[in-house]
Amino acid sequence: MNPHTILIVEDNPITRKMVRVALEVEGYSVLEAGDGQTALEQMAQGAPDVVLQDLLLPDMDGFELVRRLRGMPGGADLPIVAFSGYLSKLEQARTQSVGFTDYLFKPVEPSRVVQLVQSYLPPEHEADENIGRGRRILVAHDDPLNLKLLKVRLGRLGFGVDTAADGVDALEQAKLSPPDAILSDVLMPRMDGFRLSLAVRLDPRLQQVPVVLFSAAYTEDADRALARTVGASDLLTSTPAGSELIETLLTALRTPPPRLEHPVELTEEYTYRLIRQLERQVSLNASQGQRLALREVEMSILAGLTHTLRATTAVRAILDEVLHRSLDAAGVSKGAVYLLEPDGRARLWSHLGYPAQEESAVAEFFGQSGLLVEAIRAEEPLIVPGDKAPAEAGRAVLAGAGAKSIVIAPLLAGDVPLGALVMASVNRDLGGEWILFAKAVGAEVGQAVRLARTLSLLQEQQEKLERTIDTMADGLILSDRDGRFTVANAAAEKILGRPAAEIVQRKYDSSVWKVTTVAGEPFPPREFPCISVMQTSQPVYDVEQVFQRPDGTRVTVSVNAAPLRDAAGRIAGAVTSLRDITERKRAEKDLAAYAAELEEFAFVAAHDLQEPLRTVLSFTQLLGKRYKGRLDAQADQYIELAVGGAQRMRLLLNDLLSCSRARGRIDPRPIASEAVFGRSLEALRFRLEETAGTVTHDPLPEVLADPAKLDQVFQNLLSNALLYRGAESPRVHVSARREGAWWVFTVRDNGIGIDPAHGTRIFKMFERLHPKHEYPGTGVGLAICKRIVEGHSGRIWVESEPGEGATFYFTLPVLEAAGQPEL
């Protein structure tokens, strides 16, 4: 991983992203700043290794920013590259020497940016600070900033460094104190690098001192040959801070310098190379002038495009603005923008310079729509007339457009053709240099069109989502990773009694929200669930909370919350839903009170009915015994039916009273469950005799339970098993096993079993799944068991298949602390 950090100061997000991606691919760490203030804040946190800085920033002048960066810690020797699309600004930066190390005209290929950055960073071996220890280097350069950078760079490697502003100064210093090597620029006032190298070679005291020349202007093989002729170890065509320069210097220090076999005079060859360099510079400047003119036009278009994208995402408005700026900046009077339709045809979206009556002709591209589509599909700019344009079709288009020359620039989003920007000049030829211009503009406009379409679609989807959210009956609140609320729908406003403006962009504040947890505590009381789920990464469900509205009223809310994650799986926020259950809770409270009244009434009624029922049963049984056989058979049957009905009524009343007692206070204590089981078994002895049943059991554990309530559970489960008539002799087996903090008791019988689909119904009050003649119970016993077990924080369930018997399970807490259990 590359350890170097690059700071990009650029207000255009597209350019910033392009450069960042190119550098990150090479392993660099990249910091971004969209304005000068952000750049200063980044610098205050630690100086980067290289800065790429735009000259036009939204909050301060680029020259002011570089001055302030130089004055910060680590800024004096920092490579800062002026990065601009305006030639005039770059020239101003060069001439005023405001503190930039280098200058880069944009737009530029990403690879060029990477090369530039690499040139200002040390190679791998430069981590060795002792590589130059004990050696002194004389550096000659007429640019003070580059001179300072080289001095710092070499100093980090352990070299001692002397500096000279030109060749004359360098030669005088070398004579006074010969260095180990000389680094010299070629183009310098008074004495250039070639003459300096020759003077060193001709001086007997300096003949063993190697001279390394560098130049960004002398780049031909003949220039390197001339350097060898004058005794230089090498001539490098690189920037003065380039890593190749350091490598060459180290090689020169290990290798004896070239020896002059015969006297050398800088006459014809030197003069020719100098003239050749001047001619080359003039030619490059002329070509560059043409390119820079088009670049200025291109940047003007792109600047307007960026401004338009900030203002709107409507594709037509963007294309109208793009076309207007393109024609105005390029100095042409007519043009149009076409986009490809799904059927492959090119549709006119915008045009300028043509009257309304000619719009249909423009829409058909003057009868040559096939040429237009072909140019778009080719993904390469097309100039008409030109070698790549069909002659006949080209003449027809020029005649219809009333133009001397036309450029068709395909609009591309990556490799996908979207349409074309067509610019027509009435009075001048749009030459070959327009190819690069059209390609660059077409790519940028194509990306803008795709971006506008995407943003428009996202905006449409967002509006749909917002409308959907606002129609929800439940409140919905979204929060970011910092806990700040970002969305609150209309239902949330109603539930909380606060407008969205008081919710959104704020963090949760318990003193303001005044929220309390009223049922369970999966997170700390008075804390909003979104805070908890982001801390624990776990969702919470059906948590009841009470919120106090600003007007003082209180609302009970059922809250669900879950974390939101980004594409990398990291928690990016939370979603919280709110359901107003105030009325439901009030109804539940009223219903519970009513149920309690009914239960109390049933208890009193059952208790009061016991005595008269006992009288009826006793006298009915007495009548049966006294008159049995003395009356007719029908009378005996009536008496038997009356006795049976009274007995069933007594059983029902006993179960109702037991159920009421099961709701009573539970007093758990350490007990020996086996002793309780023994008492339960003794109480059921008459039923065992009646059914000829058997009950076996494994050793049962010590538990934490209410002994009276546990006795009820054992009796009811055993009675339930013995009452089945599905087996000739009912058999029941009881056992227990430990699972963590719970004892799991098992009661297994060999009865007729039940359908698994009815496994939960049997625990409901008065629920009986078999006819009375198969199961003569009241349907209350298992409901009593459920209430008692859940009162111990345990649970009860059944596993059964028809004809396979049934196995009941219930759990009780483990007795952790040592102690003497009750018997």
Side-chain angles (χ1 to χ4, degrees), residues 439-479:
K439 193 169 185 177
V441 172
E444 293 292 345
V445 175
Q447 293 285 4
V449 170
R450 183 170 69 172
L451 178 61
R453 284 177 167 174
T454 302
L455 292 176
S456 180
L457 179 61
L458 288 175
Q459 183 176 354
E460 180 181 346
Q461 295 298 326
Q462 182 177 356
E463 291 173 355
K464 288 182 179 179
L465 179 60
E466 289 175 352
R467 289 194 297 269
T468 301
I469 290 175
D470 274 337
T471 59
M472 294 173 59
D474 289 349
L476 185 72
I477 294 179
L478 301 182
S479 51

Side-chain angles (χ1 to χ4, degrees), residues 7-83:
L7 172 61
I8 305 171
V9 188
E10 167 65 63
D11 63 331
N12 187 326
I14 298 175
T15 302
R16 200 166 62 236
K17 180 178 180 180
M18 177 192 72
V19 176
R20 173 176 58 80
V21 170
L23 292 171
E24 286 180 342
V25 167
E26 297 297 325
Y28 294 105
S29 174
V30 180
L31 303 176
E32 296 184 50
D35 53 51
Q37 184 58 42
T38 304
L40 293 172
E41 293 171 0
Q42 296 274 23
M43 184 72 176
Q45 296 176 9
D49 296 285
V50 178
V51 176
L52 300 176
Q53 182 203 310
D54 191 12
L55 294 179
L56 294 180
L57 298 170
D59 59 340
M60 68 177 63
D61 183 75
F63 300 144
E64 169 66 13
L65 176 59
V66 72
R67 185 188 65 79
R68 294 176 65 175
L69 289 175
R70 290 293 182 201
M72 297 180 71
D77 306 321
L78 177 65
I80 304 178
V81 179
F83 190 49

Side-chain angles (χ1 to χ4, degrees), residues 117-178:
V117 168
Q118 289 175 341
S119 70
Y120 287 100
L121 297 174
E124 294 297 327
H125 68 76
E126 291 196 29
D128 184 0
E129 298 181 356
N130 296 320
I131 196 171
R133 186 174 300 278
R135 294 175 172 178
R136 190 166 56 86
I137 309 299
L138 174 61
V139 181
H141 202 299
D142 61 335
D143 184 342
L145 182 57
N146 282 321
L147 198 63
K148 186 175 183 180
L149 284 173
L150 273 171
K151 183 175 182 179
V152 171
R153 181 90 173 269
L154 294 169
R156 289 175 180 171
L157 299 177
F159 289 103
V161 182
D162 296 326
T163 60
D166 56 34
V168 172
D169 187 16
L171 185 59
E172 291 177 353
Q173 289 192 46
K175 289 179 178 181
L176 290 174
S177 178

